[in-house]
Amino acid sequence: MATGPSHDLMANAIRFLAADAVEKAKSGHPGLPMGAADVATVLFRDVLKYDASDPRWPDRDRFVLSAGHGSMLLYALLYLTDEGGGKGLTIDDLKAFRQVGSKTPGHPEYGHTVGVETTTGPLGQGIATAVGMAIAERMLAARFPSVVDHRTYVLASDGDLMEGVSQEAIGIAGHLRLSKLIVLYDDNGISIDGKTSIADNVDQVARFESAGWNASRIDGHDPEAILAALRAAQNADRPTMIACRTTIGFGLPTRAGTNKAHGEAPGAAEIAGARKTLDWPYEPFVVPDDILAAWRRAGGRGKPENEAWRARLAGLDPGARAEFERRVRGELPKDLDSVIDAYKRKLAADAPEIATRKAGEAALNVIAPALPELVTSSADLTGSNNTKVAATPEITPGNFSGRYIHWGIREHGMAAACNGMALHGGFIPSGASFLVFTDYCRPSLRLAALMKIRVVHVFTHDSIGLGEDGPTHQPVEHLASLRAVPNLYVWRPADSVETVECWQAALEKPHSPSILALTRQNLPALRRTPVVENLCAKGAYELSPAEGQAAVSIFASGSEVSLAVAAQELLKERGIAARVVSVPSMDAFFDQPEDYRRAVVGSAKVKVGVEAAVRWGWDAIIGDGPFIGMTGFGESGPYKALYEFFHITPQAVADAAVARL
């Protein structure tokens, strides 16, 4: 171990910075930082590969505080190690804990605080996201072995492991034998309601072992035991879980070991008692110079490794180095647009009548070879989602040279791990399932939007058009609910051209996740005129203009755009001029300048919306105009019969327009 101030003194610096910040804010969670300080001290002082002056070093070890409520543990570490080389957290930032606009919000937020690897707080998200980081490390190392070799460490709580997503995460991690993933379980036996035994008696060591992990239990306040367990984990051939038995709120006179230590400010008397018990006679937010200096030395411990890594990077073949740096920066290949433009010209000449899920597969056959960082996958629906193509062979345990992941039936774990791959860098991940099963991964979708990361999910079987599987599998409210998530872009293309344009538009949003909602049923080709401009990127555009002054504007997305075009013809037969506007993405449309939005909405007397889903969200475009869609759940039956049964037909659209006129 390192020389200098004792382990206890260095750990106590964490404890009291955390306790003082929570007490000043009169809000927060002191229990975990005080209990897990010994584990964190050994990890950051002796084990973790990082350089505090270069927090974005691509080959650093990642540390994920899955128990995000204990955020002051991480903030204290970032301050003590001077993460960011003077650009990280200051003592004033710690004093501003949980205040509006501070760098130290209640839970760690990626992109907001330097040194935070992922946003955590919703329990289970951190460990599941870390699995994606560990997968990304192995996949990137398969391509760039001399410059990628690091580990992912997680500090997880009882609550993290109770959440169901943790089972999905540890299952896939064990299967893939992610040996560079190490989970430190803060095994304090306390949750908000009291002892965890009131609701749980799972043997977590046995649970992890059954999923293919190495697992052990140690005294989480014994630095020698912690270090020995971490060294063993570094040499393991499987992922490792170390259950660290700790006392929540360690040092608090009356609250230690109880649920009172979890999420309440301790109070002045309790903190004073802890100062006496732990022999910490310093004023709030004061860390003695020798202890702070020892922590700063720990923060610089990885500098030689960083410099050696940069020498290896400089020694790479120039082409390989440029490719690695491009991928880490998140820049798309320069020739991607030209590849897509050429494909669009081909489609304009010979566009097939196919389902957009098949159009998505065809688009991936063009995009994936030109975009080597694109990783596709599916939650056990490979043959239905059509996201596996020749350029994306599967990864397997021990072979990470591929670009396709079989997640098994783990939608939530898939979405969280995709977030982790995006956060790690070097990849653009894409998960896939049925649209109705976004219910199973919504927390991870929401976090991707909050973190402003690029993940492009493909969710097929997007409406009652999936047919016989019935209402359990037919999403009717999902488009509306997903569109309600800020910074999450939902794309619903109408044919092959729109599908590749939606893929392109999603890829060009480096700070937003996207969902491509694709059909099971075949759709006619609507875009027959070659247009280089990506019209879908604007969210909505006039697909079929009226002959003369339009009395009716019909707005539709996805599979219903062809119904709108057919309704336009029916209205024409009645002498009524109508125009059709395709709306592949409301989210992108609302981003456009007001003059463009006004021009697309137009001034027709009647505005009709058409979508095989509920109306919510459409009023922003059609006002109080008629809407042809769903008002309840679906039914089981052939898709054409279902559209007739629910009156989502060209005739219904035309009749609604005429009635309103």
Side-chain angles (χ1 to χ4, degrees):
M1 290 189 179
T3 59
S6 71
H7 165 87
D8 288 347
L9 287 171
M10 294 186 72
N12 284 343
I14 297 173
R15 289 189 173 102
F16 286 100
L17 286 176
D20 291 340
V22 171
E23 180 63 21
K24 186 175 188 301
K26 302 300 180 186
S27 171
H29 301 78
L32 182 140
M34 298 188 79
D38 293 307
V39 173
T41 298
V42 173
L43 178 64
F44 272 72
R45 185 188 61 192
D46 302 317
V47 177
L48 197 71
K49 183 177 78 171
Y50 71 110
D51 178 358
S53 68
D54 186 10
R56 301 305 298 168
W57 172 24
D59 202 39
R60 69 192 180 280
D61 287 344
R62 271 63 170 177
F63 171 69
V64 173
L65 180 63
S66 192
H69 56 276
S71 57
M72 268 309 306
L73 174 80
L74 180 55
Y75 299 150
L77 286 163
L78 296 181
Y79 163 71
L80 290 168
T81 59
D82 195 24
E83 188 83 358
K87 299 178 182 178
L89 296 182
T90 66
I91 200 69
D92 287 335
D93 292 322
L94 303 191
K95 292 178 180 179
F97 179 54
R98 288 191 161 222
Q99 304 308 302
V100 175
S102 77
K103 295 180 181 179
T104 51
H107 293 84
E109 297 179 26
Y110 171 78
H112 184 80
T113 307
V114 173
V116 171
E117 300 284 5
T118 181
T119 298
T120 54
L123 292 174
Q125 284 293 322
I127 186 172
T129 301
V131 169
M133 293 178 179
I135 292 173
E137 189 276 338
R138 288 292 78 202
M139 292 179 68
L140 203 61
R143 174 67 178 85
F144 304 98
S146 65
V147 291
V148 180
D149 183 14
H150 53 267
R151 293 179 174 84
T152 302
Y153 294 87
V154 180
L155 181 59
S157 64
D158 294 291
D160 284 297
L161 302 189
M162 287 188 206
E163 289 286 358
V165 67
S166 71
Q167 184 60 40
E168 298 184 23
I170 69 174
I172 192 66
H175 170 72
L176 291 175
R177 300 182 73 88
L178 298 175
S179 60
K180 292 184 178 294
L181 175 62
I182 300 170
V183 172
L184 295 155
Y185 163 36
D186 182 33
D187 183 16
N188 61 39
I190 296 293
S191 62
I192 293 174
D193 282 356
K195 293 183 178 181
T196 55
S197 58
I198 66 174
D200 188 59
N201 64 348
V202 172
D203 182 338
Q204 294 293 351
V205 170
R207 176 191 177 208
F208 275 77
E209 287 177 337
S210 73
W213 289 56
N214 292 313
S216 62
R217 182 170 278 110
I218 64 170
D219 179 352
H221 297 300
D222 180 346
E224 293 184 0
I226 297 166
L227 183 59
L230 284 168
R231 294 300 187 207
Q234 289 178 322
N235 295 315
D237 62 350
R238 292 179 290 172
T240 296
M241 188 276 275
I242 306 167
C244 305
R245 178 64 74 179
T246 63
T247 299
I248 190 171
F250 183 88
L252 294 174
T254 68
R255 296 189 175 195
T258 74
N259 60 328
K260 284 291 186 181
H262 171 78
E264 300 177 16
E270 194 78 3
I271 292 184
R275 280 183 153 80
K276 183 177 180 181
T277 298
L278 298 178
D279 193 21
W280 187 262
Y282 310 108
E283 294 297 315
F285 297 102
V286 172
V287 178
D289 290 345
D290 60 330
I291 299 173
L292 184 59
W295 270 115
R296 296 288 159 88
R297 287 194 297 273
R301 182 172 48 81
K303 197 175 296 296
E305 287 186 270
N306 188 354
E307 293 171 351
W309 177 85
R310 295 196 176 279
R312 293 197 302 276
L313 179 66
L316 283 181
D317 171 84
R321 177 181 178 180
E323 176 66 5
F324 177 82
E325 292 178 334
R326 178 191 69 78
R327 289 173 60 164
V328 169
R329 288 194 304 269
E331 296 177 0
L332 298 175
K334 289 185 172 59
D335 61 348
L336 181 61
D337 286 347
S338 62
V339 170
I340 292 174
D341 291 344
Y343 177 60
K344 284 171 60 178
R345 285 192 290 270
K346 178 183 176 183
L347 286 176
D350 184 26
E353 181 172 322
I354 57 174
T356 50
R357 63 172 176 155
K358 292 295 293 182
E361 180 181 27
L364 282 174
N365 271 313
V366 173
I367 293 171
L371 190 62
E373 62 265 42
L374 180 64
V375 177
T376 61
S377 62
S378 173
D380 200 53
L381 290 167
T382 298
S384 295
N385 300 144
N386 301 115
T387 50
K388 186 178 186 299
V389 296
T392 59
E394 63 192 31
I395 69 169
T396 59
N399 183 358
F400 291 89
S401 60
R403 293 166 55 192
Y404 187 86
I405 302 172
H406 291 283
W407 294 109
I409 307 167
R410 299 183 176 105
E411 282 88 358
H412 197 178
M414 171 187 73
C418 283
N419 289 351
M421 297 181 73
L423 290 163
H424 178 277
F427 294 101
I428 300 174
S430 175
S433 184
F434 289 173
L435 184 62
V436 75
F437 298 139
T438 53
D439 285 340
Y440 287 158
C441 53
R442 178 145 330 219
S444 297
L445 298 175
R446 183 177 186 272
L447 278 186
L450 179 62
M451 292 189 285
K452 301 179 181 178
I453 55 176
R454 177 168 47 195
V455 182
V456 185
H457 290 291
V458 174
F459 290 111
T460 66
H461 297 58
D462 69 342
S463 73
I464 60 169
L466 68 87
E468 291 84 350
D469 276 346
T472 59
H473 285 53
Q474 293 167 1
V476 294
E477 76 277 25
H478 296 72
L479 291 170
S481 62
L482 291 167
R483 287 167 179 155
V485 179
N487 195 42
L488 174 62
Y489 286 78
V490 180
W491 306 88
R492 192 167 185 249
D495 67 358
S496 293
V497 173
E498 282 203 355
T499 300
V500 72
E501 284 192 346
C502 287
W503 255 111
Q504 182 182 30
L507 291 169
E508 290 176 349
K509 290 191 174 298
H511 305 299
S512 303
S514 290
I515 288 173
L516 273 67
L518 307 180
T519 69
R520 176 180 184 266
Q521 75 271 29
N522 289 344
L523 302 178
L526 300 174
R527 290 271 296 276
R528 294 289 188 177
T529 304
V531 177
V532 173
E533 182 184 10
N534 187 329
L535 299 178
C536 287
K538 295 184 175 182
Y541 65 96
E542 187 176 78
L543 173 72
S544 181
E547 293 184 4
Q549 182 67 33
V552 175
S553 288
I554 308 173
F555 301 85
S557 80
S559 46
E560 287 68 66
V561 177
S562 59
L563 301 184
V565 172
Q568 181 188 35
E569 288 299 312
L570 293 177
L571 290 169
K572 180 180 177 182
E573 292 172 4
R574 300 189 191 187
I576 299 172
R579 58 195 284 268
V580 174
V581 174
S582 178
V583 189
S585 175
M586 287 188 187
D587 311 287
F589 180 58
F590 297 145
D591 284 346
Q592 303 307 308
E594 183 179 357
D595 57 350
Y596 178 81
R597 285 184 279 119
R598 286 184 178 278
V600 170
V601 171
S603 57
K605 182 177 180 180
V606 175
K607 299 176 179 66
V608 185
V610 193
E611 188 171 67
V614 297
R615 178 173 182 137
W616 294 104
W618 279 95
D619 289 3
I621 295 176
I622 65 173
D624 65 352
F627 177 78
I628 306 301
M630 299 294 292
T631 57
F633 294 112
E635 292 278 347
S636 176
Y639 83 89
K640 290 183 179 179
L642 290 174
Y643 272 83
E644 290 286 343
F645 180 79
F646 288 108
H647 306 292
I648 305 174
T649 64
Q651 190 65 55
V653 175
D655 289 347
V658 171
R660 184 59 62 93
L661 281 173

